Amino acid sequence: MKLFLAEDDAVLADALLTRLTQLGFDTAHAADGLDAQQRLLAEDFDAVVLDIGLPGQDGLAVLRNVRVHKPALPILLLTALDSMEDRVAGLDAGADDYLVKPFDFPELEARLRALLRRQRVADSPRDEPRFGRLRLDRIGQRAWADNVALELSARELQLLDILMSHAERVVTKEQIATELSGTGEEVGANAVEVYVHRLRKKLDGSGVGVRAVRGLGYLLASTDAPR
């Protein structure tokens, strides 16, 4: 994986470069906003860690300009600004995620893994999305974990499709019920819970699970231990 780090704090940048290299990332670095923008537009990267407070050109300006040409590039913002308004401004400018300084390296690593997993799902063929070790064949109505076929009912396949389409994001119970009901038979909240329970059991050992987010809904997430 090829990452780009734009950070002007020399001490933090050195620590991040060392840690990301240890994790196996091929990481390029720039300490200036104009340099960062030029390289991001000229080269291909799998993800970007972008500080807002860059000299030459601030990170939000870099983000907006890069987004025009590379709308799908995963970009994580770093900033010392932690107000709600600052977070909204960063996300509205096109950031995929937002991390406030100071932060712990494990949190940065987890957020990067999530961004990269989402990107892999987005890059999958439309009729054959992938997430972690899961692969879904929408045309053939089949699913696999690695190369092992999963024995799923039609409803369970539909539920898996919905969750894979929103991988690493929460899908409300109401949204799931509405999408499942779109095939004709009305599906209620209790039925959704039953289908989720059944799907969880069948995904056991696949490295992917269905997490319940209290008061919000469900999300598809990796259960494999990070490397």
Side-chain angles (χ1 to χ4, degrees):
M1 286 289 178
K2 191 175 180 183
L3 265 59
F4 187 84
L5 171 66
E7 172 59 62
D8 65 316
D9 183 319
V11 175
L12 177 58
D14 184 62
L16 286 172
L17 286 169
T18 299
R19 182 59 180 159
L20 291 170
T21 300
Q22 290 172 345
L23 293 171
F25 292 113
D26 177 11
T27 309
H29 171 243
D32 175 272
L34 290 174
D35 183 26
Q37 179 174 301
Q38 183 178 18
R39 294 195 62 181
L40 286 170
L41 293 177
E43 302 175 43
D44 291 326
F45 295 95
D46 295 298
V48 179
V49 178
L50 176 64
D51 182 37
I52 287 182
L54 295 172
Q57 182 165 262
D58 70 80
L60 288 183
V62 174
L63 175 59
R64 293 189 187 97
N65 292 331
V66 170
R67 270 288 172 255
V68 173
H69 301 280
K70 298 186 175 182
L73 177 63
I75 299 177
L76 169 67
L77 279 184
L78 296 181
T79 180
L81 307 174
D82 63 353
S83 73
M84 178 62 72
E85 291 77 11
D86 293 321
R87 296 178 189 229
V88 169
L91 295 171
D92 282 347
D96 295 288
D97 204 351
Y98 192 106
L99 188 57
V100 177
K101 300 176 182 178
F103 55 85
D104 294 323
F105 283 174
E107 182 178 6
L108 173 65
E109 295 161 20
R111 288 175 183 269
L112 279 174
R113 286 195 299 271
L115 283 181
L116 292 168
R117 281 195 297 268
R118 287 202 294 267
Q119 186 62 26
R120 284 195 292 272
V121 171
D123 288 343
S124 300
R126 185 167 182 173
D127 292 324
E128 198 169 290
R130 297 170 183 263
F131 180 74
R133 291 151 53 192
L134 288 184
R135 176 165 59 96
L136 175 67
D137 177 2
R138 286 180 171 141
I139 296 176
Q141 290 292 288
R142 296 172 295 175
W144 296 265
D146 293 324
N147 292 317
V148 179
L150 299 174
E151 298 297 326
L152 302 178
S153 69
R155 284 296 194 199
E156 291 158 2
L157 274 166
Q158 284 179 276
L159 175 58
L160 180 60
D161 193 352
I162 293 167
L163 293 171
M164 289 183 74
S165 298
H166 301 81
E168 298 282 353
R169 289 174 288 171
V170 175
V171 188
T172 67
K173 192 181 296 184
E174 292 75 18
Q175 184 178 351
I176 293 172
T178 298
E179 293 197 35
L180 290 178
S181 299
T183 57
E185 180 187 350
E186 185 172 346
V187 175
N190 291 338
V192 169
E193 292 180 4
V194 172
Y195 294 135
V196 167
H197 175 72
R198 290 176 181 170
L199 181 61
R200 273 188 181 134
K201 292 177 66 176
K202 293 183 179 180
L203 292 180
D204 188 42
S206 70
V208 174
V210 182
R211 280 181 45 203
V213 182
R214 188 176 181 84
L216 295 176
Y218 302 98
L219 63 81
L220 197 68
S222 173
T223 59
D224 282 334
R227 296 179 180 179

